Amino acid sequence: MSRKPADPILEERAQQLLKALVQRYIREGQPTGSRTLTRESGLNLSPATVRNIMADLEDAGYLRSPHTSAGRVPTDRGYRFFVDSLLTVNPLREREIEQLRIHFDRGRNPEVLIDSASNLLSWLTQLAGVVTIPRRHMGSVRQLGFLPLSERRVLAILVVNEREVQNRVLHTDRDYSGTELEHISNYLNAEFVGKDIEQIRAALLDAMNNDRKEMTELMSVAIEVARRLFTRPEDEDDDYVMAGETNLMTFAELSNIEKLKQLFEAFNQKREIIHLLDRCLTADGVQIFIGQESGYEVFDGLSLVTSRYQTDDEVLGVLGVIGPTRIPYDRIIPIVDVTAKLLGHALNPQH
Amino acid sequence: MSRKPADPILEERAQQLLKALVQRYIREGQPTGSRTLTRESGLNLSPATVRNIMADLEDAGYLRSPHTSAGRVPTDRGYRFFVDSLLTVNPLREREIEQLRIHFDRGRNPEVLIDSASNLLSWLTQLAGVVTIPRRHMGSVRQLGFLPLSERRVLAILVVNEREVQNRVLHTDRDYSGTELEHISNYLNAEFVGKDIEQIRAALLDAMNNDRKEMTELMSVAIEVARRLFTRPEDEDDDYVMAGETNLMTFAELSNIEKLKQLFEAFNQKREIIHLLDRCLTADGVQIFIGQESGYEVFDGLSLVTSRYQTDDEVLGVLGVIGPTRIPYDRIIPIVDVTAKLLGHALNPQH
DNA sequence: ATTGGCACTCTCTAAGCTAGAGTGCTAACG
DNA sequence: CGTTAGCACTCTAGCTTAGAGAGTGCCAAT
């Protein structure tokens, strides 16, 4: 077996050492030297040999030394390899899952459930928990209603899935009387109640492209109103709920106040975080961003462990946990996984 | 003029020195010694004399020395005296107020205005801005509506003051059909639209105490529903909007991470902050809490400058600024004052 | 009452030193 | 030829020392 220093495929021994080092660093938070690692790894090697291998791992970018005589710590790449190839997660026991399930009473409305999930994540992990607020594409419309507010402003009320109520103020091009609105609402209710939002969008598109000859005045007005109601306004950005941000303050990695400030400003700004979370929507299962992998500078030294949550029919959003790169992934991953499943299940529309 | 060391009434000279010291400390953030103060105060005294007076001020609790040879800094009490008796505020010029007014377009809805106010406060002062969300006692009801959601759950919609829409899910003791709800809503609309919430509450109380003989079944059901709609649910706590918390991170006073964490947790918890802000509802004009005066430990080293904001008819809430005790009160006070007035004005119901 | 003088106290900074930890290299070993 | 012991070297963290600077409190003189 010839050794190839720059080869991405690591020797068995090197992997074992990397694993031991990452595990120890996650536990202790301090650089590890060759002597300690020899003891820790279980391998029957001398410190000198371990030193050679560690030097190789450093060359390959998996480790680095804070300074000459401080032992070594994992790089982002080191964590990545650890997470991808060396990590064994213990799934939660049924009993523990049962404990969590208590917090997701299907009767509650979505906002409360999402809050719960976020708090739960932060509480279980002692890190920052984050849950995106779902923007539904599906969901069955139960009722539509309109109330005139003042000249040219109409309040539209949309009830989806029994528990979700959406208000939107529509600015109209002309006044609509109460009876007129009632007609419109009757028409739209007759047409759309019981259908999915997605279906409705399609139907609307269809109606608008169709020959308008066969429409009554009422219909075409109603369809125009509905179109505006079902178009997500551009300024309404996605949003998320976060809990336990302050947990991050205790980590030595963030003792730098300036860095901490930037992070919290990013949390408030929401833009970058949303964008990052959105990227997790595409893939199933637990996803992990380590350090600068995400491309955002504020995430230097931080990891994000996420999972989508979804009903039987539809992907709703993303939830996860933000903490320093030095977190016990084996414990965090199943927590995020299970929380996502429980939340998704609790948000399933009821029969 | 005999000197009485423990007398709360300070000599003219002592006051002048205290003023100079506080001003300098607010500007520089560093303890001031007798020599510097002699120069700064404009008084024609020797450092030795100033030292004597400073010792008196320390005995009286207005100043303290961080350590033997570090000069002196104001205590909370020192700030208090400064703010109450020594401070001269320069009201904003009309031009500056005009600049601020731009941010309070009366057309916008309350949430947006409150957000603006909070951001504006934080931006102008480079501190944390906070605005409580008004819970109206008054406000004219424009429309009531009901939608059945599922068995025993009814969505009530209440439109107040053109722009404010409140949803509430009422859990009822039995099912109500759509027509039944329509009747109830018709009755309540006829009865209440155009009236103040306060008036309605009174009317409801009256109706319930009255002899029920003369009521139809419909009326008494409607009144019961209305009662529940107009009773603020207990779990719905007061709330506030905060902006620029992260500004506080830059202050040396909060370089202690543990303290910072506690503060941010208090912000998230909201309970203590709300309670403190509520206390400001009682008095008119700008109010100031300095350091531990508020009674909350997290406010050690911090000041709160607040003012109520109100429409012509009604006190709506409180807004203000949180920062270290060492803030330029002369600048902050008029900013808070004017912002409160502008916000109150913008929230006035439109004829 | 005010002031100059003075001894004293305390902090802050820099410099120097040591112990400890860990490395990389080399030469010897099996 | 991979592995290992030995060793010189490097770097940090913590401790001590020393001096400068700032400011005080007190006392005696004005």
Side-chain angles (χ1 to χ4, degrees):
Chain A
M1 224 192 286
S2 68
R3 225 170 87 256
K4 303 173 197 167
D7 198 318
I9 293 148
L10 295 177
E11 274 186 89
E12 177 64 24
R13 288 191 315 179
Q15 292 196 20
Q16 234 171 307
L17 285 175
L18 180 57
K19 181 172 180 180
L21 190 142
V22 173
Q23 282 177 335
R24 187 186 157 86
Y25 188 69
I26 284 173
R27 200 154 21 83
E28 310 279 344
Q30 263 156 15
T32 307
S34 52
R35 197 192 321 268
T36 323
L37 198 56
T38 315
R39 241 184 291 112
E40 204 100 346
S41 69
L43 266 60
N44 208 2
L45 291 173
S46 74
T49 314
V50 171
R51 274 205 288 283
N52 285 330
I53 303 174
M54 284 169 91
D56 292 348
L57 284 168
E58 181 160 9
D59 287 344
Y62 296 104
L63 301 179
R64 64 186 183 81
S65 338
H67 59 81
T68 323
S69 74
R72 283 174 171 100
V73 298
T75 59
D76 290 352
R77 190 163 170 207
Y79 281 115
R80 169 54 60 196
F81 191 88
F82 174 77
V83 164
D84 287 345
S85 313
L86 306 172
L87 186 64
T88 47
V89 303
N90 323 351
L92 296 185
R93 271 159 292 173
E94 195 52 43
R95 270 198 56 241
E96 297 172 294
I97 296 178
E98 221 39 65
Q99 288 290 322
L100 300 189
R101 204 189 303 277
I102 297 168
H103 300 268
F104 293 97
D105 178 357
R106 295 189 79 218
R108 310 207 148 276
N109 53 15
E111 297 98 72
V112 175
L113 287 169
I114 283 165
D115 258 15
S116 291
S118 169
N119 281 315
L120 200 59
L121 284 171
S122 124
W123 192 81
L124 289 171
T125 62
Q126 293 295 303
L127 303 171
V130 61
V131 184
T132 64
I133 293 173
R135 43 163 166 156
R136 288 190 172 273
H137 296 282
M138 297 163 78
S140 140
V141 170
R142 268 193 62 89
Q143 192 136 13
L144 282 155
F146 298 99
L147 295 177
L149 288 181
S150 62
E151 328 86 64
R152 309 204 174 176
R153 294 192 315 121
V154 173
L155 174 68
I157 298 147
L158 184 63
V159 183
V160 188
N161 283 342
E162 281 91 31
R163 300 188 173 276
E164 291 162 59
V165 183
Q166 293 175 24
N167 291 335
R168 184 162 308 158
V169 177
L170 300 177
H171 293 255
T172 55
D173 50 346
R174 65 171 178 85
D175 276 15
Y176 289 91
S177 69
T179 36
E180 207 169 0
L181 287 175
E182 207 167 314
H183 287 146
I184 293 176
S185 123
N186 286 342
Y187 171 74
L188 290 176
N189 273 300
E191 202 75 6
F192 292 149
V193 164
K195 292 196 179 163
D196 278 359
I197 293 180
E198 212 48 67
Q199 284 179 284
I200 295 175
R201 288 223 178 94
L204 282 171
L205 220 63
D206 220 42
M208 298 196 55
N209 293 333
N210 265 359
D211 195 2
R212 299 190 171 231
K213 294 273 159 65
E214 47 189 80
M215 282 196 234
T216 62
E217 164 74 10
L218 174 73
M219 277 168 67
S220 80
V221 167
I223 282 171
E224 169 59 17
V225 169
R227 191 189 59 78
R228 305 195 33 194
L229 179 55
F230 287 99
T231 308
R232 210 167 64 97
E234 280 151 31
D235 61 330
E236 184 186 288
D237 245 355
D238 292 319
D239 202 357
Y240 58 78
V241 169
M242 194 173 254
E245 310 94 294
T246 50
N247 284 336
L248 301 182
M249 289 185 180
T250 34
F251 288 98
E253 286 89 337
L254 287 167
S255 61
N256 175 349
I257 292 248
E258 193 44 44
K259 176 116 180 48
L260 195 66
K261 189 181 172 197
Q262 279 168 16
L263 181 64
F264 273 67
E265 273 163 8
F267 288 163
N268 284 340
Q269 216 85 51
K270 299 201 168 185
R271 223 191 52 254
E272 295 188 351
I273 311 280
I274 284 284
H275 182 237
L276 184 50
L277 290 170
D278 268 352
R279 284 205 260 157
C280 305
L281 272 172
T282 48
D284 196 17
V286 174
Q287 286 191 281
I288 301 176
F289 286 95
I290 293 164
Q292 302 243 15
E293 283 180 355
S294 58
Y296 292 109
E297 207 169 320
V298 280
F299 268 84
D300 180 37
L302 296 178
S303 276
L304 175 64
V305 180
T306 67
S307 173
R308 302 195 298 198
Y309 64 94
Q310 50 207 319
T311 61
D312 296 340
D313 303 322
E314 185 186 13
V315 175
L316 294 174
V318 173
L319 59 71
V321 153
I322 297 173
T325 41
R326 187 177 82 69
I327 45 174
Y329 294 94
D330 56 340
R331 215 175 65 80
I332 305 284
I333 289 172
I335 289 176
V336 169
D337 187 43
V338 167
T339 308
K341 288 189 175 121
L342 290 175
L343 178 60
H345 185 251
L347 287 171
N348 247 328
Q350 276 142 328
H351 14 252
Chain B
M1 225 191 285
S2 69
R3 224 169 88 256
K4 302 172 195 168
D7 197 318
I9 293 149
L10 295 177
E11 274 187 86
E12 178 65 23
R13 287 192 314 179
Q15 292 196 20
Q16 235 171 305
L17 285 175
L18 180 57
K19 181 173 180 179
L21 189 140
V22 173
Q23 282 177 334
R24 187 184 157 84
Y25 188 69
I26 284 173
R27 200 156 19 85
E28 311 279 343
Q30 263 154 16
T32 307
S34 53
R35 198 193 318 267
T36 322
L37 198 55
T38 316
R39 243 183 289 113
E40 205 99 344
S41 69
L43 267 61
N44 208 1
L45 292 173
S46 73
T49 314
V50 171
R51 275 204 287 284
N52 286 329
I53 303 173
M54 283 169 93
D56 293 348
L57 283 169
E58 180 160 10
D59 288 343
Y62 296 105
L63 301 179
R64 64 185 183 80
S65 338
H67 58 83
T68 325
S69 73
R72 283 171 172 103
V73 298
T75 59
D76 289 354
R77 193 167 168 202
Y79 281 115
R80 170 53 61 195
F81 191 89
F82 173 77
V83 165
D84 287 346
S85 314
L86 305 173
L87 186 64
T88 47
V89 303
N90 322 353
L92 297 185
R93 272 159 290 172
E94 194 54 43
R95 269 197 58 240
E96 296 172 294
I97 296 178
E98 220 41 62
Q99 288 290 322
L100 300 189
R101 204 189 304 277
I102 297 168
H103 300 267
F104 295 97
D105 178 357
R106 295 188 78 220
R108 311 207 146 276
N109 54 13
E111 296 99 72
V112 175
L113 286 169
I114 283 166
D115 259 15
S116 291
S118 170
N119 281 316
L120 199 59
L121 284 171
S122 125
W123 192 80
L124 288 172
T125 63
Q126 292 295 301
L127 302 171
V130 60
V131 184
T132 65
I133 292 172
R135 43 164 166 156
R136 291 190 170 271
H137 297 281
M138 298 163 78
S140 144
V141 170
R142 268 192 61 90
Q143 191 137 14
L144 283 155
F146 299 98
L147 295 177
L149 287 182
S150 61
E151 328 86 64
R152 307 203 176 179
R153 295 192 314 120
V154 173
L155 174 69
I157 298 147
L158 184 62
V159 183
V160 188
N161 283 341
E162 282 90 31
R163 302 189 170 275
E164 291 162 57
V165 184
Q166 293 175 24
N167 289 335
R168 184 162 308 159
V169 176
L170 300 177
H171 293 253
T172 57
D173 49 348
R174 65 169 179 86
D175 275 15
Y176 290 91
S177 69
T179 36
E180 209 169 358
L181 287 176
E182 207 167 312
H183 288 145
I184 295 175
S185 125
N186 286 342
Y187 171 74
L188 291 176
N189 273 302
E191 203 74 4
F192 293 150
V193 163
K195 289 196 180 163
D196 277 358
I197 292 180
E198 212 46 71
Q199 284 180 286
I200 295 175
R201 287 224 178 94
L204 281 170
L205 219 64
D206 221 43
M208 297 198 53
N209 293 334
N210 265 357
D211 195 2
R212 300 195 170 226
K213 295 273 159 59
E214 47 188 78
M215 279 198 235
T216 62
E217 163 74 10
L218 174 74
M219 276 168 68
S220 80
V221 168
I223 281 171
E224 169 59 17
V225 169
R227 192 189 58 78
R228 306 196 30 199
L229 179 56
F230 285 99
T231 310
R232 207 167 66 97
E234 281 151 29
D235 62 329
E236 184 185 290
D237 245 357
D238 292 320
D239 202 358
Y240 58 77
V241 169
M242 195 173 255
E245 310 95 295
T246 48
N247 284 337
L248 301 181
M249 289 186 180
T250 34
F251 287 99
E253 287 88 339
L254 286 168
S255 61
N256 175 348
I257 292 250
E258 192 44 44
K259 176 118 182 46
L260 194 66
K261 187 182 173 197
Q262 279 168 18
L263 181 64
F264 273 66
E265 272 163 8
F267 288 163
N268 283 340
Q269 216 86 51
K270 299 203 167 184
R271 224 192 53 253
E272 294 188 350
I273 312 279
I274 284 284
H275 183 235
L276 184 51
L277 290 170
D278 268 352
R279 283 205 259 159
C280 305
L281 272 172
T282 49
D284 197 16
V286 174
Q287 286 192 283
I288 301 175
F289 286 95
I290 293 163
Q292 301 243 16
E293 282 180 356
S294 59
Y296 292 108
E297 208 168 318
V298 281
F299 269 84
D300 179 38
L302 296 178
S303 275
L304 175 65
V305 180
T306 66
S307 173
R308 301 195 299 199
Y309 63 95
Q310 51 207 315
T311 61
D312 295 342
D313 303 321
E314 184 187 13
V315 175
L316 294 175
V318 173
L319 59 72
V321 152
I322 298 172
T325 42
R326 186 178 84 69
I327 45 175
Y329 295 93
D330 56 341
R331 215 175 65 82
I332 304 285
I333 290 171
I335 288 176
V336 169
D337 187 44
V338 168
T339 308
K341 288 189 176 121
L342 290 175
L343 178 60
H345 186 252
L347 287 170
N348 247 328
Q350 278 144 323
H351 4 257

